[in-house]
Every structure is written in C-alpha cells, then in structure tokens.
Amino acid sequence: MTIREKAALMKLESTKMAASTARVRDHALELIAETLLSHKEEIFAANEEDIRAAVENEIPPQVLKRLKFGEAKLQDVVEGIRSLVSLPDPLGKVLMKRELDTDLLLERISCPIGVIGVIFEARPDALVQIASLCIKSGNCAILKGGSETMHTNRCLFRLIHEAATEGGLPEDCLFQAEARSEINELLACDESVDLLIPRGSNAFVRYIMEHSRIPVMGHSDGICHIYVDKDADIAKSIPVIVDAKTQYTAACNATETLLVHREIAEKLLPALNDALKKAEVEVRGTEDVRRIVDCVPAEEADFATEYLDLILSIKIVDSIEEAIEHINRYGSHHTDAILTENAEAAEQFMSYVDSAGVYQNCSTRFADGFRYGFGAEVGISTGKLHARGPVGLEGLCTYKYRLFGSGNIVGDYASHKREFHFKDIQ
C-alpha cells in the first residue's frame, strides 16, 4: 500500500479516532507505557544496533547523543505518557456558547485536527512522545523518523501500535513510514493529510514548506539568546547561563549567544569564563569580550549559527535596546531570556523580543512541553498561526461550530421578522 492510499484510509478512520472516548484513549496510553517497560530489553537491543552503525558511520557526537535510548530515556517517555493520561481530555471542550436567538444556540467545541504527518530527527524518544500526543488528542499520525534510528523506531512503533489497537483504538490510527522516498509521497497527500510537522534542520524544514500544499507547523533553527542586563545578579546568572548552554547542548532550546551589558561585563565575564571552561565550553567573543577574557575571536556568522555543541558566542552591548535589536535580527524567534533584577527591564525585554518564549532569570532549556506541564510535545513552533512555542495537546486540536435550532430560517432574520439578540452563556 502506498503512502497516498494509506493516508486516504487514515482520513476515513480519523472520524472514528475523533469520536473515541477519553477513557479508551487513556487506556491505550496506559497499555503503551506498560508494553514499553515490559519489552525494554528488546528496545535496548535494537538501539544498540543503531548505535553501532552510527559509530561506524562516524556520526557527529551531538547527533549520537540524540540516538541513544537507554533506561533513563525510557523512564522519561513512560513518565511523559502517564502525565498525559492524568491530563483532562482536550476534546469536546465548549470554548464558546452563544444564544443567537431564544431557540438558536451556537457552540464552539474543540476537536482533533485529523491526520497529522510528523517527520522528525533521529531521536527515538520523539517517536514515543509524538505518537502519545496524537493518541491523547484524537489524531491519526503518519510518523517518519530519522534513518539513523531505524531499528529502534521500528521496534518502538510495533509495540506502540499493538498496544494502541489492543486498547481499542482504530487499526489505522498510526502508520510508520521508513523509506526516505516516502517523504515526497507524504508531501503530495494534501487531500488526506491535514497538517505536517517537520523537525530537523533549517534546510529540511524549508524543503518541506516549499514542496507541499499541506499546512506546515514547526521551526527550523534554535538560535536562543540570554541577555545579561546591567541589573543582573551575577551569582544567580552564572549557573543559569551554564545550564542553558550545557544541560543538553544538542537541543534546539540550548542557548547559542550571550549578550552582556557593558556596565556588568568586567564583573561577570571573568567568573563566567572560568565556569564555562570547567564545563568544556568554547567561548567565541567579540573584540570587547577578548579585552576582558581569553577566548576565540567571534565572527559575524557566529551570531547566526545554531551550534548544537559546546560553543557559546558572547557580545557586549551598550543597552537593552541594542540587545533586543540583536535578538530580533539574528535569533530564530524560539526562546530568549533576560537576566535582571529590574522588573521594568524585564517587561521591556518581554514586550519587544519577538519570540515564542521570553524568560526572566531562568534557563532557555525550560522551553519544553513536558516542563510546561503539557505531558510532552510534538515539537516547537516559531510561527504565529494556530500554535506557538512547545506544541502540546491544545496545539494538536482545532475547533468546530455546532448550531442547534428549531426550524429556524435565515429569511426570517433578513426580513426582520425575527431578530438576533446574541447572548453569551457562561
């Protein structure tokens, strides 16, 4: 069966998925969690096969780190699934109830998007998170993971699909695409697939956007910034910066550029440089920075680079306005933070920085669906339509209108025989 044929079948099945009860979907998720735990040795063996192949193919260290799926990652995804189960049903929520007339009632209710195609990087935990979120939100999902984790993804998908159907979900609620050639087939399924969510490089996301008529939600680069204001607490700031850079360098929410107000640079940079050296971070600084600390010269291109590695660009700025301008020019509108004890400066930063996430006095690594209490995330959107930031259950839902009448006709209102009175009902 081709991707087009499968997508068409899933489109028909999506109505059954949308009508499934929260009890059925939660039961399926519980079975998935139990199944993954009971088959963990099988999963780990498949992952070891992928890791061996990646080492032989000299995959970069930052990518290799993403490929690994051991006990810690398994516990994380299982915790994420169980967190999803504990969340309220995102479907069937009455978002608006309005009486148009005494016998004409309008409701807006939440519902699934339908069939979602997700093309994601070589991270086995992403497959589990995405499948779980789609199930909880009542969506059908076509999943295409990176070839570097082919064996792990195949094992995980089989276990997830078996548990989901055993739990009472439709057979065609999930489908795994494996061949790279199937990506272009998926992009052509605009009559059946309602949304594409690509997770990968800037070039890859652009390719998806330019080669499909299906709506695309996602982000390309993760060029995140921290700005250290002149009123920052240095003792508080250094651990935040180190965490934002080193806690997980291969993530899109890791900080890549540090901007430092000139008035605090002499006090901050020597201690920060020592802390970064201990964490094995390579600092690339402008000429002003290198007058204060010993580091590698920064070039203009560094400020437009997502390193995904233990490298941090540092620039000294003369004002918060200059910092904001730099972020809006070079950033990817993902997540940016200000370190300051000045509430007015924080408000100015948060108002003028055009990013999906703007923080005060905390690490950019908090930009994550699980850490936001969403249970997990299907990805992060830097766009402004429909969903923005970490995309959890609400981002995978849309809404529809239901109108309840009693033989009402438009002609009566057009002729003023009857009048609307538009009364919102709480």
Side-chain angles (χ1 to χ4, degrees):
M1 186 179 291
T2 66
I3 292 286
R4 185 181 290 273
E5 291 169 337
K6 190 67 177 180
L9 185 59
M10 294 178 80
K11 183 67 172 177
L12 294 174
E13 290 287 278
S14 66
T15 56
K16 296 178 184 177
M17 191 68 177
S20 64
T21 64
R23 184 176 179 180
V24 168
R25 283 178 272 122
D26 286 343
H27 176 56
L29 288 171
E30 288 168 353
L31 285 180
I32 290 169
E34 293 168 8
T35 300
L36 294 179
L37 288 173
S38 62
H39 290 78
K40 66 179 182 179
E41 298 306 327
E42 183 182 346
I43 297 168
F44 296 160
N47 187 244
E48 282 299 321
E49 192 171 351
D50 287 328
I51 295 298
R52 282 195 299 271
V55 172
E56 290 173 4
N57 291 323
E58 299 181 344
I59 296 293
Q62 63 268 31
V63 178
L64 187 63
K65 187 176 180 181
R66 289 182 172 186
L67 308 186
K68 292 181 180 178
F69 192 86
E71 187 71 43
K73 288 266 183 84
L74 176 62
Q75 293 300 326
D76 284 347
V77 297
V78 167
E79 184 182 350
I81 293 171
R82 289 176 172 158
S83 177
L84 277 177
V85 172
S86 71
L87 294 176
D89 186 9
L91 305 181
K93 288 183 178 179
V94 179
L95 307 174
M96 181 195 77
K97 184 178 282 190
R98 178 172 296 162
E99 192 177 270
L100 307 186
D101 200 349
T102 52
D103 57 354
L104 194 58
L105 181 66
L106 178 68
E107 288 182 347
R108 182 166 65 207
I109 65 164
S110 59
C111 63
I113 288 173
V115 180
I116 300 176
V118 189
I119 310 166
F120 53 96
E121 69 276 33
R123 274 182 52 195
D125 51 322
L127 185 146
V128 183
Q129 292 171 357
I130 293 163
S132 302
L133 279 164
C134 287
I135 288 171
K136 179 74 177 186
S137 58
N139 288 288
C140 292
I142 299 173
L143 309 173
K144 172 66 179 78
S147 58
E148 296 90 345
T149 49
M150 178 183 67
H151 297 96
T152 316
N153 286 345
R154 185 179 294 166
C155 180
L156 287 170
F157 180 83
R158 175 175 54 79
L159 295 171
I160 290 170
H161 187 260
E162 288 175 358
T165 52
E166 182 185 340
L169 295 180
E171 178 74 24
D172 292 304
C173 64
L174 297 171
F175 177 72
Q176 182 188 22
E178 290 190 316
R180 189 172 184 82
S181 60
E182 291 178 311
I183 293 177
N184 284 332
E185 292 181 49
L186 176 59
L187 300 187
C189 295
D190 53 283
E191 73 286 351
S192 302
V193 177
D194 299 291
L195 179 68
L196 289 174
I197 303 178
R199 292 174 50 160
S201 68
N202 184 26
F204 176 71
V205 174
R206 286 290 171 194
Y207 178 87
I208 299 297
M209 291 177 173
E210 293 168 4
H211 290 80
S212 183
R213 290 183 292 185
I214 303 170
V216 177
M217 179 170 66
H219 79 281
S220 47
D221 291 337
I223 303 176
C224 301
H225 300 75
I226 287 179
Y227 162 59
V228 185
D229 186 52
K230 61 184 176 66
D231 295 319
D233 181 320
I234 291 177
K236 183 188 294 183
S237 299
I238 291 175
V240 170
I241 297 165
V242 173
D243 179 270
K245 179 68 265 183
T246 67
Q247 198 275 328
Y248 187 48
T249 57
C252 60
N253 56 15
T255 292
E256 306 291 20
T257 295
L258 181 72
L259 303 174
V260 181
H261 195 287
R262 191 173 299 280
E263 288 185 27
I264 203 171
E266 293 276 0
K267 298 175 184 177
L268 170 77
L269 289 178
L272 174 62
N273 201 40
D274 288 343
L276 291 170
K277 281 183 178 178
K278 288 178 183 177
E280 299 182 345
V281 176
E282 176 187 302
V283 172
R284 298 183 182 179
T286 58
E287 185 177 344
D288 284 351
V289 173
R290 287 184 283 114
R291 288 196 190 105
I292 301 172
V293 295
D294 181 34
C295 63
V296 176
E299 299 179 359
E300 187 73 15
D302 285 306
F303 297 112
T305 300
E306 182 184 25
Y307 298 116
L308 300 175
D309 203 351
L310 289 171
I311 303 171
L312 181 67
S313 301
I314 302 182
K315 177 183 179 181
I316 293 175
V317 294
D318 291 318
S319 65
I320 187 173
E321 290 80 10
E322 185 182 348
I324 291 168
E325 182 181 349
H326 179 103
I327 292 169
N328 287 336
R329 175 180 297 177
Y330 292 98
S332 56
H333 311 292
H334 189 299
T335 304
D336 301 287
I338 180 173
L339 306 183
T340 187
E341 301 304 306
N342 185 320
E344 289 184 8
E347 181 60 33
Q348 181 181 355
F349 183 90
M350 291 182 167
S351 297
Y352 284 90
V353 170
D354 185 22
S355 296
V358 283
Y359 298 174
Q360 178 187 8
N361 293 338
C362 53
S363 169
T364 56
R365 286 281 292 122
F366 280 102
D368 176 85
F370 178 74
R371 297 185 184 107
Y372 279 13
F374 297 168
E377 68 180 42
V378 72
I380 290 183
S381 172
T382 53
K384 297 183 181 180
L385 297 181
H386 180 66
R388 196 179 191 193
V391 181
L393 293 175
E394 288 187 3
L396 295 180
C397 297
T398 182
Y399 55 79
K400 65 169 113 178
Y401 289 97
R402 303 196 300 188
L403 185 61
F404 302 91
S406 56
N408 307 67
I409 60 173
V410 170
D412 287 345
Y413 297 91
S415 64
H416 300 291
K417 182 179 179 181
R418 300 191 66 173
E419 298 288 339
F420 294 115
H421 61 240
F422 304 128
K423 178 183 176 183
D424 286 334
I425 300 171
Q426 299 300 322

